[in-house]
PDB file of all heavy atoms in Angstrom:
ATOM      1  N   GLY A 271      -9.353   2.442   5.221  1.00 95.00           N
ATOM      2  CA  GLY A 271      -9.779   1.379   4.335  1.00 95.00           C
ATOM      3  C   GLY A 271      -9.046   0.110   4.684  1.00 95.00           C
ATOM      4  O   GLY A 271      -8.618  -0.083   5.824  1.00 95.00           O
ATOM      5  N   ILE A 272      -8.891  -0.749   3.674  1.00 95.00           N
ATOM      6  CA  ILE A 272      -8.182  -2.013   3.859  1.00 95.00           C
ATOM      7  C   ILE A 272      -7.250  -2.264   2.680  1.00 95.00           C
ATOM      8  O   ILE A 272      -7.379  -1.647   1.635  1.00 95.00           O
ATOM      9  CB  ILE A 272      -9.151  -3.214   3.987  1.00 95.00           C
ATOM     10  CG1 ILE A 272      -9.976  -3.379   2.704  1.00 95.00           C
ATOM     11  CG2 ILE A 272     -10.030  -3.090   5.227  1.00 95.00           C
ATOM     12  CD1 ILE A 272     -10.694  -4.710   2.595  1.00 95.00           C
ATOM     13  N   VAL A 273      -6.337  -3.192   2.884  1.00 95.00           N
ATOM     14  CA  VAL A 273      -5.526  -3.692   1.778  1.00 95.00           C
ATOM     15  C   VAL A 273      -6.415  -4.659   1.009  1.00 95.00           C
ATOM     16  O   VAL A 273      -6.904  -5.643   1.569  1.00 95.00           O
ATOM     17  CB  VAL A 273      -4.246  -4.395   2.287  1.00 95.00           C
ATOM     18  CG1 VAL A 273      -3.504  -5.073   1.145  1.00 95.00           C
ATOM     19  CG2 VAL A 273      -3.345  -3.403   3.012  1.00 95.00           C
ATOM     20  N   SER A 274      -6.663  -4.354  -0.263  1.00 93.00           N
ATOM     21  CA  SER A 274      -7.529  -5.187  -1.092  1.00 93.00           C
ATOM     22  C   SER A 274      -6.774  -6.316  -1.768  1.00 93.00           C
ATOM     23  O   SER A 274      -7.343  -7.359  -2.075  1.00 93.00           O
ATOM     24  CB  SER A 274      -8.186  -4.334  -2.182  1.00 93.00           C
ATOM     25  OG  SER A 274      -8.893  -3.261  -1.618  1.00 93.00           O
ATOM     26  N   SER A 275      -5.475  -6.088  -2.049  1.00 90.00           N
ATOM     27  CA  SER A 275      -4.662  -7.079  -2.733  1.00 90.00           C
ATOM     28  C   SER A 275      -3.198  -6.755  -2.490  1.00 90.00           C
ATOM     29  O   SER A 275      -2.841  -5.596  -2.287  1.00 90.00           O
ATOM     30  CB  SER A 275      -4.957  -7.051  -4.233  1.00 90.00           C
ATOM     31  OG  SER A 275      -4.129  -7.964  -4.933  1.00 90.00           O
ATOM     32  N   VAL A 276      -2.368  -7.786  -2.509  1.00 87.00           N
ATOM     33  CA  VAL A 276      -0.921  -7.608  -2.459  1.00 87.00           C
ATOM     34  C   VAL A 276      -0.394  -8.043  -3.818  1.00 87.00           C
ATOM     35  O   VAL A 276      -0.441  -9.222  -4.162  1.00 87.00           O
ATOM     36  CB  VAL A 276      -0.274  -8.427  -1.320  1.00 87.00           C
ATOM     37  CG1 VAL A 276       1.237  -8.251  -1.330  1.00 87.00           C
ATOM     38  CG2 VAL A 276      -0.864  -8.031   0.028  1.00 87.00           C
ATOM     39  N   ARG A 277       0.042  -7.064  -4.599  1.00 78.00           N
ATOM     40  CA  ARG A 277       0.543  -7.329  -5.949  1.00 78.00           C
ATOM     41  C   ARG A 277       2.020  -7.680  -5.872  1.00 78.00           C
ATOM     42  O   ARG A 277       2.769  -7.081  -5.118  1.00 78.00           O
ATOM     43  CB  ARG A 277       0.344  -6.101  -6.844  1.00 78.00           C
ATOM     44  CG  ARG A 277      -1.095  -5.610  -6.898  1.00 78.00           C
ATOM     45  CD  ARG A 277      -1.943  -6.525  -7.699  1.00 78.00           C
ATOM     46  NE  ARG A 277      -3.338  -6.077  -7.677  1.00 78.00           N
ATOM     47  CZ  ARG A 277      -4.219  -6.493  -8.527  1.00 78.00           C
ATOM     48  NH1 ARG A 277      -3.882  -7.336  -9.481  1.00 78.00           N
ATOM     49  NH2 ARG A 277      -5.460  -6.080  -8.443  1.00 78.00           N
ATOM     50  N   ARG A 278       2.441  -8.635  -6.670  1.00 73.00           N
ATOM     51  CA  ARG A 278       3.814  -9.152  -6.604  1.00 73.00           C
ATOM     52  C   ARG A 278       4.643  -8.721  -7.806  1.00 73.00           C
ATOM     53  O   ARG A 278       4.124  -8.459  -8.882  1.00 73.00           O
ATOM     54  CB  ARG A 278       3.805 -10.679  -6.533  1.00 73.00           C
ATOM     55  CG  ARG A 278       2.989 -11.237  -5.376  1.00 73.00           C
ATOM     56  CD  ARG A 278       3.744 -11.187  -4.119  1.00 73.00           C
ATOM     57  NE  ARG A 278       2.915 -11.606  -2.988  1.00 73.00           N
ATOM     58  CZ  ARG A 278       3.318 -11.523  -1.751  1.00 73.00           C
ATOM     59  NH1 ARG A 278       4.509 -11.060  -1.471  1.00 73.00           N
ATOM     60  NH2 ARG A 278       2.540 -11.900  -0.772  1.00 73.00           N
ATOM     61  N   MET A 279       5.967  -8.682  -7.599  1.00 66.00           N
ATOM     62  CA  MET A 279       6.926  -8.454  -8.680  1.00 66.00           C
ATOM     63  C   MET A 279       7.595  -9.792  -8.968  1.00 66.00           C
ATOM     64  O   MET A 279       7.122 -10.840  -8.517  1.00 66.00           O
ATOM     65  CB  MET A 279       7.968  -7.408  -8.265  1.00 66.00           C
ATOM     66  CG  MET A 279       7.361  -6.041  -8.002  1.00 66.00           C
ATOM     67  SD  MET A 279       8.506  -4.660  -7.777  1.00 66.00           S
ATOM     68  CE  MET A 279       9.712  -5.215  -6.634  1.00 66.00           C
ATOM     69  N   GLN A 280       8.716  -9.753  -9.672  1.00 65.00           N
ATOM     70  CA  GLN A 280       9.440 -10.984  -9.976  1.00 65.00           C
ATOM     71  C   GLN A 280       9.869 -11.687  -8.687  1.00 65.00           C
ATOM     72  O   GLN A 280      10.102 -11.048  -7.676  1.00 65.00           O
ATOM     73  CB  GLN A 280      10.684 -10.675 -10.821  1.00 65.00           C
ATOM     74  CG  GLN A 280      10.337 -10.132 -12.164  1.00 65.00           C
ATOM     75  CD  GLN A 280      11.045  -8.803 -12.425  1.00 65.00           C
ATOM     76  OE1 GLN A 280      11.665  -8.236 -11.563  1.00 65.00           O
ATOM     77  NE2 GLN A 280      10.902  -8.318 -13.632  1.00 65.00           N
ATOM     78  N   GLN A 281       9.988 -12.972  -8.743  1.00 65.00           N
ATOM     79  CA  GLN A 281      10.378 -13.840  -7.630  1.00 65.00           C
ATOM     80  C   GLN A 281       9.463 -13.669  -6.416  1.00 65.00           C
ATOM     81  O   GLN A 281       9.878 -13.863  -5.278  1.00 65.00           O
ATOM     82  CB  GLN A 281      11.841 -13.607  -7.225  1.00 65.00           C
ATOM     83  CG  GLN A 281      12.832 -14.109  -8.236  1.00 65.00           C
ATOM     84  CD  GLN A 281      13.522 -12.969  -8.963  1.00 65.00           C
ATOM     85  OE1 GLN A 281      13.465 -11.833  -8.552  1.00 65.00           O
ATOM     86  NE2 GLN A 281      14.166 -13.295 -10.072  1.00 65.00           N
ATOM     87  N   GLY A 282       8.222 -13.269  -6.633  1.00 60.00           N
ATOM     88  CA  GLY A 282       7.239 -13.200  -5.565  1.00 60.00           C
ATOM     89  C   GLY A 282       7.381 -12.038  -4.609  1.00 60.00           C
ATOM     90  O   GLY A 282       6.659 -11.945  -3.633  1.00 60.00           O
ATOM     91  N   GLU A 283       8.317 -11.115  -4.875  1.00 63.00           N
ATOM     92  CA  GLU A 283       8.519  -9.969  -3.989  1.00 63.00           C
ATOM     93  C   GLU A 283       7.326  -9.023  -4.072  1.00 63.00           C
ATOM     94  O   GLU A 283       6.741  -8.839  -5.137  1.00 63.00           O
ATOM     95  CB  GLU A 283       9.793  -9.234  -4.410  1.00 63.00           C
ATOM     96  CG  GLU A 283      10.106  -8.060  -3.530  1.00 63.00           C
ATOM     97  CD  GLU A 283      11.412  -7.413  -3.926  1.00 63.00           C
ATOM     98  OE1 GLU A 283      11.575  -7.046  -5.107  1.00 63.00           O
ATOM     99  OE2 GLU A 283      12.264  -7.290  -3.048  1.00 63.00           O
ATOM    100  N   MET A 284       6.959  -8.434  -2.923  1.00 64.00           N
ATOM    101  CA  MET A 284       5.867  -7.477  -2.917  1.00 64.00           C
ATOM    102  C   MET A 284       6.191  -6.313  -3.839  1.00 64.00           C
ATOM    103  O   MET A 284       7.302  -5.798  -3.833  1.00 64.00           O
ATOM    104  CB  MET A 284       5.635  -6.930  -1.510  1.00 64.00           C
ATOM    105  CG  MET A 284       4.931  -7.883  -0.597  1.00 64.00           C
ATOM    106  SD  MET A 284       4.537  -7.106   0.972  1.00 64.00           S
ATOM    107  CE  MET A 284       6.159  -6.889   1.667  1.00 64.00           C
ATOM    108  N   GLY A 285       5.216  -5.892  -4.620  1.00 81.00           N
ATOM    109  CA  GLY A 285       5.397  -4.770  -5.517  1.00 81.00           C
ATOM    110  C   GLY A 285       4.532  -3.586  -5.142  1.00 81.00           C
ATOM    111  O   GLY A 285       4.989  -2.463  -5.073  1.00 81.00           O
ATOM    112  N   TRP A 286       3.239  -3.850  -4.879  1.00 84.00           N
ATOM    113  CA  TRP A 286       2.282  -2.812  -4.519  1.00 84.00           C
ATOM    114  C   TRP A 286       1.221  -3.395  -3.607  1.00 84.00           C
ATOM    115  O   TRP A 286       0.921  -4.566  -3.655  1.00 84.00           O
ATOM    116  CB  TRP A 286       1.545  -2.278  -5.750  1.00 84.00           C
ATOM    117  CG  TRP A 286       2.418  -1.671  -6.775  1.00 84.00           C
ATOM    118  CD1 TRP A 286       2.783  -0.352  -6.855  1.00 84.00           C
ATOM    119  CD2 TRP A 286       3.038  -2.320  -7.877  1.00 84.00           C
ATOM    120  NE1 TRP A 286       3.592  -0.176  -7.931  1.00 84.00           N
ATOM    121  CE2 TRP A 286       3.767  -1.356  -8.580  1.00 84.00           C
ATOM    122  CE3 TRP A 286       3.061  -3.635  -8.341  1.00 84.00           C
ATOM    123  CZ2 TRP A 286       4.500  -1.649  -9.719  1.00 84.00           C
ATOM    124  CZ3 TRP A 286       3.790  -3.934  -9.459  1.00 84.00           C
ATOM    125  CH2 TRP A 286       4.493  -2.951 -10.139  1.00 84.00           C
ATOM    126  N   TYR A 287       0.636  -2.499  -2.830  1.00 91.00           N
ATOM    127  CA  TYR A 287      -0.609  -2.812  -2.146  1.00 91.00           C
ATOM    128  C   TYR A 287      -1.714  -2.154  -2.951  1.00 91.00           C
ATOM    129  O   TYR A 287      -1.618  -0.980  -3.299  1.00 91.00           O
ATOM    130  CB  TYR A 287      -0.660  -2.237  -0.732  1.00 91.00           C
ATOM    131  CG  TYR A 287       0.310  -2.847   0.226  1.00 91.00           C
ATOM    132  CD1 TYR A 287       1.097  -2.043   1.039  1.00 91.00           C
ATOM    133  CD2 TYR A 287       0.441  -4.221   0.334  1.00 91.00           C
ATOM    134  CE1 TYR A 287       1.975  -2.588   1.934  1.00 91.00           C
ATOM    135  CE2 TYR A 287       1.337  -4.777   1.226  1.00 91.00           C
ATOM    136  CZ  TYR A 287       2.102  -3.953   2.022  1.00 91.00           C
ATOM    137  OH  TYR A 287       2.980  -4.498   2.899  1.00 91.00           O
ATOM    138  N   GLN A 288      -2.761  -2.909  -3.231  1.00 91.00           N
ATOM    139  CA  GLN A 288      -3.977  -2.308  -3.764  1.00 91.00           C
ATOM    140  C   GLN A 288      -4.836  -2.000  -2.555  1.00 91.00           C
ATOM    141  O   GLN A 288      -5.025  -2.861  -1.691  1.00 91.00           O
ATOM    142  CB  GLN A 288      -4.697  -3.274  -4.703  1.00 91.00           C
ATOM    143  CG  GLN A 288      -5.974  -2.694  -5.277  1.00 91.00           C
ATOM    144  CD  GLN A 288      -6.680  -3.681  -6.183  1.00 91.00           C
ATOM    145  OE1 GLN A 288      -6.054  -4.439  -6.912  1.00 91.00           O
ATOM    146  NE2 GLN A 288      -8.010  -3.661  -6.122  1.00 91.00           N
ATOM    147  N   ILE A 289      -5.342  -0.771  -2.475  1.00 91.00           N
ATOM    148  CA  ILE A 289      -6.119  -0.353  -1.310  1.00 91.00           C
ATOM    149  C   ILE A 289      -7.463   0.214  -1.748  1.00 91.00           C
ATOM    150  O   ILE A 289      -7.614   0.662  -2.883  1.00 91.00           O
ATOM    151  CB  ILE A 289      -5.350   0.695  -0.474  1.00 91.00           C
ATOM    152  CG1 ILE A 289      -5.016   1.934  -1.313  1.00 91.00           C
ATOM    153  CG2 ILE A 289      -4.081   0.081   0.114  1.00 91.00           C
ATOM    154  CD1 ILE A 289      -4.396   3.071  -0.539  1.00 91.00           C
ATOM    155  N   ASP A 290      -8.434   0.172  -0.830  1.00 90.00           N
ATOM    156  CA  ASP A 290      -9.757   0.706  -1.162  1.00 90.00           C
ATOM    157  C   ASP A 290     -10.009   2.071  -0.545  1.00 90.00           C
ATOM    158  O   ASP A 290     -11.070   2.649  -0.744  1.00 90.00           O
ATOM    159  CB  ASP A 290     -10.858  -0.279  -0.757  1.00 90.00           C
ATOM    160  CG  ASP A 290     -11.091  -0.331   0.740  1.00 90.00           C
ATOM    161  OD1 ASP A 290     -10.239   0.142   1.519  1.00 90.00           O
ATOM    162  OD2 ASP A 290     -12.148  -0.848   1.143  1.00 90.00           O
ATOM    163  N   ALA A 291      -9.056   2.631   0.181  1.00 84.00           N
ATOM    164  CA  ALA A 291      -9.200   3.978   0.745  1.00 84.00           C
ATOM    165  C   ALA A 291      -9.141   5.002  -0.386  1.00 84.00           C
ATOM    166  O   ALA A 291      -8.495   4.777  -1.406  1.00 84.00           O
ATOM    167  CB  ALA A 291      -8.100   4.254   1.761  1.00 84.00           C
ATOM    168  N   ALA A 292      -9.819   6.123  -0.194  1.00 79.00           N
ATOM    169  CA  ALA A 292      -9.854   7.162  -1.216  1.00 79.00           C
ATOM    170  C   ALA A 292      -8.455   7.715  -1.476  1.00 79.00           C
ATOM    171  O   ALA A 292      -7.759   8.126  -0.559  1.00 79.00           O
ATOM    172  CB  ALA A 292     -10.783   8.285  -0.784  1.00 79.00           C
ATOM    173  N   VAL A 293      -8.045   7.684  -2.738  1.00 79.00           N
ATOM    174  CA  VAL A 293      -6.779   8.263  -3.190  1.00 79.00           C
ATOM    175  C   VAL A 293      -7.109   9.198  -4.341  1.00 79.00           C
ATOM    176  O   VAL A 293      -7.769   8.800  -5.301  1.00 79.00           O
ATOM    177  CB  VAL A 293      -5.787   7.169  -3.660  1.00 79.00           C
ATOM    178  CG1 VAL A 293      -4.560   7.796  -4.299  1.00 79.00           C
ATOM    179  CG2 VAL A 293      -5.392   6.255  -2.513  1.00 79.00           C
ATOM    180  N   ASN A 294      -6.667  10.446  -4.226  1.00 75.00           N
ATOM    181  CA  ASN A 294      -6.918  11.443  -5.258  1.00 75.00           C
ATOM    182  C   ASN A 294      -5.627  12.173  -5.586  1.00 75.00           C
ATOM    183  O   ASN A 294      -4.639  12.067  -4.854  1.00 75.00           O
ATOM    184  CB  ASN A 294      -7.971  12.454  -4.779  1.00 75.00           C
ATOM    185  CG  ASN A 294      -9.323  11.817  -4.612  1.00 75.00           C
ATOM    186  OD1 ASN A 294      -9.972  11.489  -5.589  1.00 75.00           O
ATOM    187  ND2 ASN A 294      -9.747  11.608  -3.371  1.00 75.00           N
ATOM    188  N   SER A 295      -5.634  12.942  -6.679  1.00 75.00           N
ATOM    189  CA  SER A 295      -4.485  13.776  -6.992  1.00 75.00           C
ATOM    190  C   SER A 295      -4.170  14.613  -5.760  1.00 75.00           C
ATOM    191  O   SER A 295      -5.070  15.178  -5.145  1.00 75.00           O
ATOM    192  CB  SER A 295      -4.800  14.697  -8.165  1.00 75.00           C
ATOM    193  OG  SER A 295      -5.075  13.946  -9.312  1.00 75.00           O
ATOM    194  N   GLY A 296      -2.919  14.685  -5.400  1.00 76.00           N
ATOM    195  CA  GLY A 296      -2.511  15.393  -4.190  1.00 76.00           C
ATOM    196  C   GLY A 296      -2.181  14.443  -3.055  1.00 76.00           C
ATOM    197  O   GLY A 296      -1.426  14.785  -2.153  1.00 76.00           O
ATOM    198  N   ASN A 297      -2.754  13.222  -3.070  1.00 81.00           N
ATOM    199  CA  ASN A 297      -2.395  12.199  -2.080  1.00 81.00           C
ATOM    200  C   ASN A 297      -1.067  11.531  -2.431  1.00 81.00           C
ATOM    201  O   ASN A 297      -0.446  10.902  -1.571  1.00 81.00           O
ATOM    202  CB  ASN A 297      -3.456  11.094  -1.983  1.00 81.00           C
ATOM    203  CG  ASN A 297      -4.661  11.489  -1.189  1.00 81.00           C
ATOM    204  OD1 ASN A 297      -5.732  11.660  -1.752  1.00 81.00           O
ATOM    205  ND2 ASN A 297      -4.507  11.642   0.110  1.00 81.00           N
ATOM    206  N   SER A 298      -0.643  11.654  -3.677  1.00 87.00           N
ATOM    207  CA  SER A 298       0.588  11.004  -4.124  1.00 87.00           C
ATOM    208  C   SER A 298       1.748  11.358  -3.208  1.00 87.00           C
ATOM    209  O   SER A 298       1.972  12.529  -2.896  1.00 87.00           O
ATOM    210  CB  SER A 298       0.945  11.449  -5.540  1.00 87.00           C
ATOM    211  OG  SER A 298       0.013  10.976  -6.463  1.00 87.00           O
ATOM    212  N   GLY A 299       2.489  10.336  -2.792  1.00 90.00           N
ATOM    213  CA  GLY A 299       3.641  10.528  -1.925  1.00 90.00           C
ATOM    214  C   GLY A 299       3.316  10.492  -0.455  1.00 90.00           C
ATOM    215  O   GLY A 299       4.211  10.546   0.384  1.00 90.00           O
ATOM    216  N   GLY A 300       2.039  10.403  -0.121  1.00 92.00           N
ATOM    217  CA  GLY A 300       1.642  10.372   1.287  1.00 92.00           C
ATOM    218  C   GLY A 300       1.850   9.000   1.904  1.00 92.00           C
ATOM    219  O   GLY A 300       2.051   8.005   1.209  1.00 92.00           O
ATOM    220  N   PRO A 301       1.799   8.930   3.229  1.00 95.00           N
ATOM    221  CA  PRO A 301       2.023   7.658   3.911  1.00 95.00           C
ATOM    222  C   PRO A 301       0.774   6.782   3.963  1.00 95.00           C
ATOM    223  O   PRO A 301      -0.338   7.264   4.142  1.00 95.00           O
ATOM    224  CB  PRO A 301       2.427   8.092   5.317  1.00 95.00           C
ATOM    225  CG  PRO A 301       1.701   9.379   5.529  1.00 95.00           C
ATOM    226  CD  PRO A 301       1.660  10.046   4.171  1.00 95.00           C
ATOM    227  N   LEU A 302       0.995   5.486   3.808  1.00 95.00           N
ATOM    228  CA  LEU A 302      -0.010   4.467   4.089  1.00 95.00           C
ATOM    229  C   LEU A 302       0.312   3.997   5.503  1.00 95.00           C
ATOM    230  O   LEU A 302       1.409   3.497   5.758  1.00 95.00           O
ATOM    231  CB  LEU A 302       0.103   3.308   3.100  1.00 95.00           C
ATOM    232  CG  LEU A 302      -0.884   2.171   3.292  1.00 95.00           C
ATOM    233  CD1 LEU A 302      -2.272   2.606   2.848  1.00 95.00           C
ATOM    234  CD2 LEU A 302      -0.433   0.947   2.517  1.00 95.00           C
ATOM    235  N   ILE A 303      -0.618   4.170   6.428  1.00 95.00           N
ATOM    236  CA  ILE A 303      -0.333   3.994   7.854  1.00 95.00           C
ATOM    237  C   ILE A 303      -1.076   2.806   8.428  1.00 95.00           C
ATOM    238  O   ILE A 303      -2.244   2.569   8.127  1.00 95.00           O
ATOM    239  CB  ILE A 303      -0.709   5.271   8.619  1.00 95.00           C
ATOM    240  CG1 ILE A 303       0.126   6.451   8.087  1.00 95.00           C
ATOM    241  CG2 ILE A 303      -0.524   5.109  10.119  1.00 95.00           C
ATOM    242  CD1 ILE A 303      -0.287   7.784   8.623  1.00 95.00           C
ATOM    243  N   ASP A 304      -0.385   2.084   9.309  1.00 96.00           N
ATOM    244  CA  ASP A 304      -0.994   1.021  10.103  1.00 96.00           C
ATOM    245  C   ASP A 304      -1.693   1.694  11.283  1.00 96.00           C
ATOM    246  O   ASP A 304      -1.032   2.293  12.132  1.00 96.00           O
ATOM    247  CB  ASP A 304       0.090   0.059  10.600  1.00 96.00           C
ATOM    248  CG  ASP A 304      -0.467  -1.109  11.390  1.00 96.00           C
ATOM    249  OD1 ASP A 304      -1.549  -0.981  12.010  1.00 96.00           O
ATOM    250  OD2 ASP A 304       0.202  -2.159  11.414  1.00 96.00           O
ATOM    251  N   PRO A 305      -3.034   1.636  11.370  1.00 95.00           N
ATOM    252  CA  PRO A 305      -3.734   2.328  12.459  1.00 95.00           C
ATOM    253  C   PRO A 305      -3.438   1.742  13.842  1.00 95.00           C
ATOM    254  O   PRO A 305      -3.631   2.422  14.843  1.00 95.00           O
ATOM    255  CB  PRO A 305      -5.213   2.180  12.098  1.00 95.00           C
ATOM    256  CG  PRO A 305      -5.287   1.046  11.141  1.00 95.00           C
ATOM    257  CD  PRO A 305      -3.960   0.965  10.458  1.00 95.00           C
ATOM    258  N   GLU A 306      -2.951   0.510  13.887  1.00 94.00           N
ATOM    259  CA  GLU A 306      -2.646  -0.106  15.187  1.00 94.00           C
ATOM    260  C   GLU A 306      -1.325   0.388  15.758  1.00 94.00           C
ATOM    261  O   GLU A 306      -1.194   0.551  16.967  1.00 94.00           O
ATOM    262  CB  GLU A 306      -2.629  -1.624  15.048  1.00 94.00           C
ATOM    263  CG  GLU A 306      -3.976  -2.217  14.705  1.00 94.00           C
ATOM    264  CD  GLU A 306      -3.906  -3.698  14.424  1.00 94.00           C
ATOM    265  OE1 GLU A 306      -2.855  -4.321  14.661  1.00 94.00           O
ATOM    266  OE2 GLU A 306      -4.928  -4.239  13.955  1.00 94.00           O
ATOM    267  N   THR A 307      -0.329   0.616  14.893  1.00 94.00           N
ATOM    268  CA  THR A 307       1.011   1.001  15.359  1.00 94.00           C
ATOM    269  C   THR A 307       1.376   2.443  15.054  1.00 94.00           C
ATOM    270  O   THR A 307       2.309   2.982  15.658  1.00 94.00           O
ATOM    271  CB  THR A 307       2.084   0.100  14.719  1.00 94.00           C
ATOM    272  OG1 THR A 307       2.116   0.355  13.308  1.00 94.00           O
ATOM    273  CG2 THR A 307       1.817  -1.368  14.998  1.00 94.00           C
ATOM    274  N   GLY A 308       0.697   3.059  14.093  1.00 94.00           N
ATOM    275  CA  GLY A 308       1.041   4.402  13.657  1.00 94.00           C
ATOM    276  C   GLY A 308       2.240   4.434  12.727  1.00 94.00           C
ATOM    277  O   GLY A 308       2.699   5.506  12.333  1.00 94.00           O
ATOM    278  N   GLN A 309       2.754   3.274  12.360  1.00 96.00           N
ATOM    279  CA  GLN A 309       3.922   3.198  11.482  1.00 96.00           C
ATOM    280  C   GLN A 309       3.510   3.248  10.008  1.00 96.00           C
ATOM    281  O   GLN A 309       2.403   2.860   9.640  1.00 96.00           O
ATOM    282  CB  GLN A 309       4.695   1.909  11.740  1.00 96.00           C
ATOM    283  CG  GLN A 309       5.286   1.823  13.125  1.00 96.00           C
ATOM    284  CD  GLN A 309       5.955   0.483  13.371  1.00 96.00           C
ATOM    285  OE1 GLN A 309       5.557  -0.542  12.834  1.00 96.00           O
ATOM    286  NE2 GLN A 309       6.993   0.501  14.200  1.00 96.00           N
ATOM    287  N   VAL A 310       4.458   3.686   9.177  1.00 96.00           N
ATOM    288  CA  VAL A 310       4.239   3.742   7.738  1.00 96.00           C
ATOM    289  C   VAL A 310       4.415   2.351   7.145  1.00 96.00           C
ATOM    290  O   VAL A 310       5.443   1.705   7.339  1.00 96.00           O
ATOM    291  CB  VAL A 310       5.219   4.723   7.060  1.00 96.00           C
ATOM    292  CG1 VAL A 310       5.067   4.680   5.540  1.00 96.00           C
ATOM    293  CG2 VAL A 310       5.011   6.132   7.576  1.00 96.00           C
ATOM    294  N   LEU A 311       3.397   1.889   6.422  1.00 95.00           N
ATOM    295  CA  LEU A 311       3.451   0.605   5.722  1.00 95.00           C
ATOM    296  C   LEU A 311       3.776   0.774   4.248  1.00 95.00           C
ATOM    297  O   LEU A 311       4.155  -0.187   3.582  1.00 95.00           O
ATOM    298  CB  LEU A 311       2.114  -0.131   5.849  1.00 95.00           C
ATOM    299  CG  LEU A 311       1.716  -0.560   7.245  1.00 95.00           C
ATOM    300  CD1 LEU A 311       0.325  -1.182   7.224  1.00 95.00           C
ATOM    301  CD2 LEU A 311       2.736  -1.510   7.823  1.00 95.00           C
ATOM    302  N   GLY A 312       3.590   1.985   3.714  1.00 95.00           N
ATOM    303  CA  GLY A 312       3.842   2.191   2.302  1.00 95.00           C
ATOM    304  C   GLY A 312       3.754   3.647   1.912  1.00 95.00           C
ATOM    305  O   GLY A 312       3.449   4.514   2.730  1.00 95.00           O
ATOM    306  N   VAL A 313       4.041   3.905   0.634  1.00 95.00           N
ATOM    307  CA  VAL A 313       3.973   5.243   0.048  1.00 95.00           C
ATOM    308  C   VAL A 313       2.885   5.213  -1.024  1.00 95.00           C
ATOM    309  O   VAL A 313       2.949   4.405  -1.953  1.00 95.00           O
ATOM    310  CB  VAL A 313       5.324   5.650  -0.582  1.00 95.00           C
ATOM    311  CG1 VAL A 313       5.230   7.052  -1.171  1.00 95.00           C
ATOM    312  CG2 VAL A 313       6.455   5.563   0.435  1.00 95.00           C
ATOM    313  N   ILE A 314       1.883   6.076  -0.890  1.00 92.00           N
ATOM    314  CA  ILE A 314       0.799   6.147  -1.861  1.00 92.00           C
ATOM    315  C   ILE A 314       1.385   6.548  -3.216  1.00 92.00           C
ATOM    316  O   ILE A 314       2.142   7.514  -3.307  1.00 92.00           O
ATOM    317  CB  ILE A 314      -0.267   7.177  -1.439  1.00 92.00           C
ATOM    318  CG1 ILE A 314      -0.817   6.846  -0.055  1.00 92.00           C
ATOM    319  CG2 ILE A 314      -1.385   7.272  -2.478  1.00 92.00           C
ATOM    320  CD1 ILE A 314      -1.424   5.482   0.087  1.00 92.00           C
ATOM    321  N   THR A 315       1.045   5.784  -4.259  1.00 89.00           N
ATOM    322  CA  THR A 315       1.640   6.058  -5.569  1.00 89.00           C
ATOM    323  C   THR A 315       0.626   6.451  -6.640  1.00 89.00           C
ATOM    324  O   THR A 315       0.923   7.296  -7.471  1.00 89.00           O
ATOM    325  CB  THR A 315       2.441   4.845  -6.090  1.00 89.00           C
ATOM    326  OG1 THR A 315       1.587   3.719  -6.153  1.00 89.00           O
ATOM    327  CG2 THR A 315       3.631   4.559  -5.212  1.00 89.00           C
TER     328      THR A 315
END
């Protein structure tokens, strides 16, 4: 999928990525991966 939004915390710090990829019970704790680098960009919450 894609990053749909970058949600911010206090002082403009990134808080969450909103994504449109399918997330279901059991995906919690899994990696959000950059398909270009294979690196972890986040933790599915």
Side-chain angles (χ1 to χ4, degrees):
I272 62 166
V273 172
S274 304
S275 177
V276 178
R277 305 287 177 163
R278 304 280 175 187
M279 297 190 312
Q280 295 126 352
Q281 289 109 14
E283 182 177 54
M284 284 186 292
W286 300 269
Y287 293 133
Q288 180 181 323
I289 59 174
D290 74 344
V293 172
N294 293 288
S295 298
N297 282 110
S298 293
L302 180 73
I303 299 172
D304 182 333
E306 294 174 9
T307 66
Q309 296 176 329
V310 175
L311 295 176
V313 181
I314 303 302
T315 57

